[in-house]
Amino acid sequence: MAALRDLDETQNSKTEDQASGSSTRSVHGGTRRKKAFNSLHTPIVQTATYTFDDTQDLIDFMENKTWGDGDSREEYGRYGNPTVAAVERKLAALDGGEDAVLYASGMNAVTSVLLSVLPSGAHIIMTSDCYRRTRQFCQTFLKRFGIETTVVPNGDYEALEAAIIPKKTRFIVSESPTNPYLRIADLEKVADLGRKYRVKTLIDSTFATPINQRPLEWGIDFVIHSATKYLSGHNDLLAGVVVGSADRIKALRDARGILGGVVDPQNAFLLDRGIKTLGVRVRQQNHNALAVARFLESHPRIERVWYPGLESHPDHTVAAAQMSGFGGVVSFEVAGDLKTTSNFIDALKIPYIAPSLGGVESLIEQPALMSYYEKTTEERLELGIKDNLVRFAAGIEDTDDILNDLDQALAS
Ligand SMILES: *Cc1c(COP(=O)(O)O)cnc(C)c1O
């Protein structure tokens, strides 16, 4: 380790990272210029524990826990890993945060933040249309610890303010864009409410990626991503990340050492490799999704299209003001019932039928049959999920090929 460390001399400064564009940050953000053995890539440090040269080395470690220049040194894999730390620095640079902490999955990130920060008896507010498992965690698990959750309708900031219980409400949990209707939170309004009432704010920014939206710059306290989606980008690993201020992330990293949701160094390497192409991938996905949304909106066999880049979307104005791209997911309603919709999906040749999003392959799903299979049509309607609803997650294929495929499937 000491030898590895000696070679890791120069590091891009934070100010350098902040000054560069998002693609440059994807490639170089947070990465040391010179790495062990002159390797271009950050080495995969595949170890569960770290050794000490002698007892004095151990005592030095216990005294300052660093390599002497402020960079953290660990004694055991659950507390940290150099490969993982490199990706954390890159993700912090991308989202414009001071630090970031990686977890074994997106849900692990969500649950770890809330478990680490909330005292018993606290109250949290969640906007509707949040990721289903996040809602379940708050409304069932946290409830067991005496933590109550109030769900307020998306986009209703008066209801959000009215739901705040002074001194009891600790967190506003929101998502932007949401799934499946791609609702956009007004990040400045959410952050202002948080500051006014001393409530922490958290945005799950998975659907946006740091290429399209950076919530910390609008005053949000914590940003979460399921790195399983766009950040890794190849549908081949699970990971999650939280980005925020140095002191908040340090507290989360300490808690991760207790909760144990660490990401494996191999996966961290794959994630790092994926992030390097984030800029080009996301711009192609933005482009494909907007083209799909426009094509479907003008198609007679489509009843309604949900995409924040369309003027017809309820949050288009907010999206245009705070995002530099509208994301790769389009939801739409096919003219017809559950079966007509399934027939259309089965006629498609390019997208795979699968949950998830953000990878290079286009994916498609009918939420009624994927996430809400066990429910009846009536129960689904209560949850706002129509039988004819389809979610299309654009990959990086050629735009014309995707449009032609949709066209032939709608004609059949
Ligand atoms: C997928 C997803 C999650 C959960 O992430 P995992 O990596 O699957 O645990 C959380 N939030 C959003 C918005 C997601 O799309």
Side-chain angles (χ1 to χ4, degrees):
M1 262 315 291
L4 251 182
R5 175 67 212 153
D6 290 342
L7 286 164
D8 285 346
E9 290 296 345
T10 45
Q11 184 181 358
N12 290 348
S13 71
K14 189 167 150 54
T15 39
E16 251 174 70
D17 278 337
Q18 304 299 348
S20 47
S22 50
S23 284
T24 310
R25 290 191 215 184
S26 301
V27 180
H28 297 291
T31 351
R32 298 172 197 296
R33 201 69 195 167
K34 189 167 166 74
K35 303 177 193 76
F37 314 111
N38 280 354
S39 157
L40 189 151
H41 296 289
T42 303
I44 305 174
V45 182
Q46 191 72 31
T47 190
T49 191
Y50 305 96
T51 62
F52 297 92
D53 298 342
D54 51 28
T55 303
Q56 189 55 47
D57 189 28
L58 171 64
I59 291 168
D60 289 348
F61 165 76
M62 288 300 169
E63 288 295 319
N64 54 35
K65 305 254 178 188
T66 69
W67 289 103
D69 65 352
D71 224 41
S72 71
R73 175 185 181 179
E74 311 296 347
E75 80 273 33
Y76 187 64
R78 194 175 349 92
Y79 306 132
N81 175 284
T83 316
V84 173
V87 186
E88 291 176 336
R89 284 195 301 268
K90 186 185 285 268
L91 287 166
L94 266 170
D95 250 312
E98 287 175 350
D99 201 359
V101 56
L102 267 180
Y103 293 94
S105 71
M107 274 319 294
N108 197 175
V110 172
T111 57
S112 294
V113 175
L114 296 172
L115 283 175
S116 307
V117 177
L118 290 172
S120 74
H123 173 250
I124 60 180
I125 300 170
M126 176 177 272
T127 54
S128 57
D129 218 19
C130 266
Y131 190 66
R132 196 170 170 218
R133 300 300 177 199
T134 302
R135 264 184 292 158
Q136 265 180 343
F137 176 71
C138 293
Q139 292 177 323
T140 61
F141 280 68
L142 289 181
K143 198 177 164 66
R144 296 211 314 263
F145 304 111
I147 294 164
E148 292 295 330
T149 302
T150 304
V151 179
V152 300
N154 235 300
D156 188 342
Y157 300 96
E158 279 167 28
L160 183 58
E161 185 162 10
I164 296 173
I165 308 169
K167 295 204 168 73
K168 201 164 171 350
T169 306
R170 295 297 185 102
F171 246 109
I172 297 170
V173 177
S174 192
E175 231 167 87
S176 192
T178 65
N179 174 31
Y181 295 111
L182 294 319
R183 299 299 309 266
I184 307 296
D186 186 322
L187 300 174
E188 203 168 14
K189 279 191 184 154
V190 175
D192 283 350
L193 282 175
R195 266 196 299 268
K196 183 169 169 194
Y197 293 95
R198 294 176 166 276
V199 176
K200 291 193 178 70
T201 50
L202 180 156
I203 295 287
D204 183 333
S205 195
T206 300
F207 275 53
T209 81
I211 303 295
N212 290 332
Q213 160 181 293
R214 285 197 284 275
L216 297 176
E217 290 173 0
W218 299 90
I220 296 296
D221 297 317
F222 294 95
V223 170
I224 285 195
H225 296 276
S226 164
T228 312
K229 316 292 167 54
Y230 293 96
L231 294 176
S232 64
H234 295 75
N235 289 314
D236 54 5
L237 65 90
L238 286 117
V241 66
V242 184
V243 192
S245 67
D247 55 335
R248 289 190 178 121
I249 298 301
K250 182 182 183 312
L252 290 179
R253 192 173 283 118
D254 288 347
R256 185 185 63 180
I258 300 171
L259 294 170
V262 289
V263 67
D264 183 87
Q266 292 269 358
N267 269 358
F269 170 79
L270 284 176
L271 177 56
D272 187 49
R273 189 162 96 155
I275 297 170
K276 289 183 190 195
T277 54
L278 184 69
V280 283
R281 282 189 285 105
V282 167
R283 273 187 279 279
Q284 177 69 7
Q285 285 165 312
N286 286 341
H287 178 78
N288 281 346
L290 183 60
V292 164
R294 291 218 170 105
F295 168 78
L296 292 174
E297 194 168 50
S298 64
H299 200 286
R301 291 199 170 164
I302 298 298
E303 269 174 8
R304 168 142 206 197
V305 182
W306 300 83
Y307 186 68
L310 294 178
E311 289 72 17
S312 59
H313 190 279
D315 302 321
H316 176 67
T317 315
V318 187
Q322 71 186 27
M323 299 178 83
S324 45
F326 300 105
V329 178
V330 184
S331 294
F332 54 95
E333 292 157 24
V334 175
D337 58 9
L338 189 83
K339 191 79 181 80
T340 322
T341 308
S342 309
N343 289 344
F344 153 71
I345 288 179
D346 289 339
L348 287 164
K349 295 189 171 75
I350 290 179
Y352 288 95
I353 300 174
S356 204
L357 56 129
V360 292
E361 301 89 357
S362 289
L363 301 181
I364 198 157
E365 66 155 300
Q366 197 172 354
L369 296 181
M370 187 66 78
S371 306
Y372 299 89
Y373 184 75
E374 70 287 358
K375 309 248 182 252
T376 65
T377 298
E378 288 69 35
E379 286 170 336
R380 284 185 207 125
L381 274 179
E382 260 174 44
L383 294 165
I385 303 295
K386 290 188 184 175
D387 283 348
N388 62 346
L389 181 70
V390 176
R391 190 184 81 183
F392 177 79
I396 62 165
E397 300 92 342
D398 290 303
T399 315
D400 284 348
D401 290 336
I402 294 175
L403 296 183
N404 288 339
D405 190 29
L406 289 166
D407 198 33
Q408 66 78 23
L410 284 166
S412 73

